Amino acid sequence: MSDPALWTALADPHRRAIVALLLERPRPVGEIVEACGLSQPSTSKHLKVLREAGLVRVRQEAQRRVYALDPAPIARLDIWLAPYRELWNRSLDALGSRLDETAPDTPEDPAPKD
Amino acid sequence: MSDPALWTALADPHRRAIVALLLERPRPVGEIVEACGLSQPSTSKHLKVLREAGLVRVRQEAQRRVYALDPAPIARLDIWLAPYRELWNRSLDALGSRLDETAPDTPEDPAPKD
DNA sequence: CAGTTATATGCCGGTCAAGGAATACGCGTG
DNA sequence: CACGCGTATTCCTTGACCGGCATATAACTG
């Protein structure tokens, strides 16, 4: 949930790109290299980070190494997100009623000051 | 969606802690400083990062500055997450049917090799 | 077993982010 | 208007990360 490796792995745009590529289908390193336009070593290093964050698994297929997404870590992300989802549902509700009533004043905060 | 600032903002554990604090309720800086055990300047800098990522908004209240979560960016995170959610639903399904049928062979991949 | 393909690792220089200390700024108060 | 409080900003140093290059490793091929 507050797994630092997971977040730092996803913090990099290239790595998010790789993750997006692997969402479509598992791919060998060569394909990923081509797709994201980085050098092969850089790509391998990014894959290492993703591997150590648990985001991807590797399957050795002859000389090729086929990388695939592991759903679990992203599921943890979703769990982390859950409490916040409630937050913006609340604010959508608020927006809805404001639009609905053509708000006379702006009740921005119900002041939940404990 | 692929907003780099958002991800880098959340990549830091301290900042995620701040975000979690603000989920409970809006808070002035002093409270955040106490809660996360950092120096006041460090905390202010983290708040700046969160602000520039759009994750928080500030309300000036006398000398105090009260920070509150803005739901929108985390909603974008959720949108980013959506395609992956489908992925792990698929794998949960697969697990389910495997458990259900006491799998004779292991149909790991439906081979979506285009 | 030599050669080739596919991937990983080590090393290096540049860049960037984090934390601490000192300081500046804004706002209310006497 | 001087002062005090709460917060932001600057400067500095240190440590992490990124990318490229060269090289090592592993696996198939003949």
Side-chain angles (χ1 to χ4, degrees):
Chain A
M1 147 175 27
S2 57
D3 188 350
L6 175 58
W7 285 99
T8 54
L10 289 173
D12 185 88
H14 288 136
R15 283 190 298 256
R16 283 200 304 280
I18 293 177
V19 165
L21 281 173
L22 296 182
L23 175 61
E24 301 175 11
R25 55 186 153 97
R27 295 174 192 259
V29 178
E31 233 178 282
I32 302 172
V33 168
E34 257 188 283
C36 69
L38 278 177
S39 72
Q40 177 269 314
S42 284
T43 307
S44 258
K45 277 181 272 188
H46 283 303
L47 285 171
K48 182 177 190 174
V49 175
L50 292 172
R51 225 186 306 137
E52 289 175 345
L55 275 162
V56 300
R57 354 180 281 276
V58 208
R59 195 182 36 149
Q60 187 126 9
E61 191 173 286
Q63 311 101 319
R64 234 158 253 132
R65 293 198 172 204
V66 180
Y67 280 80
L69 272 188
D70 187 332
I74 310 193
R76 285 207 303 278
L77 243 192
D78 194 56
I79 292 174
W80 179 89
L81 212 55
Y84 300 95
R85 215 181 331 262
E86 182 193 345
L87 173 71
W88 77 69
N89 283 342
R90 252 186 283 149
S91 61
L92 283 183
D93 281 3
L95 177 65
S97 28
R98 218 170 308 158
L99 288 178
D100 205 48
E101 304 181 12
T102 329
D105 51 3
T106 34
E108 282 218 340
D109 273 22
K113 278 275 167 78
D114 70 324
Chain B
M1 152 173 26
S2 55
D3 187 351
L6 175 59
W7 285 99
T8 54
L10 289 173
D12 186 89
H14 288 136
R15 282 190 297 256
R16 284 200 302 281
I18 293 178
V19 165
L21 281 173
L22 294 183
L23 175 61
E24 301 175 12
R25 57 186 151 94
R27 297 174 192 258
V29 178
E31 233 178 283
I32 302 172
V33 168
E34 255 189 285
C36 68
L38 280 177
S39 72
Q40 178 268 316
S42 285
T43 307
S44 258
K45 276 182 274 187
H46 282 303
L47 286 171
K48 181 177 189 174
V49 175
L50 292 172
R51 225 185 307 138
E52 290 176 344
L55 275 161
V56 299
R57 358 179 278 277
V58 208
R59 195 181 37 148
Q60 187 127 9
E61 192 172 284
Q63 312 102 319
R64 234 157 252 134
R65 293 198 171 204
V66 180
Y67 279 81
L69 272 189
D70 187 332
I74 309 191
R76 286 207 303 279
L77 243 191
D78 194 56
I79 292 174
W80 179 89
L81 212 54
Y84 300 96
R85 216 183 328 264
E86 181 191 347
L87 173 72
W88 76 71
N89 283 341
R90 252 186 282 150
S91 60
L92 283 183
D93 280 3
L95 178 65
S97 29
R98 217 171 307 160
L99 288 179
D100 204 46
E101 305 181 10
T102 329
D105 51 2
T106 33
E108 283 217 340
D109 274 21
K113 282 268 167 87
D114 70 328

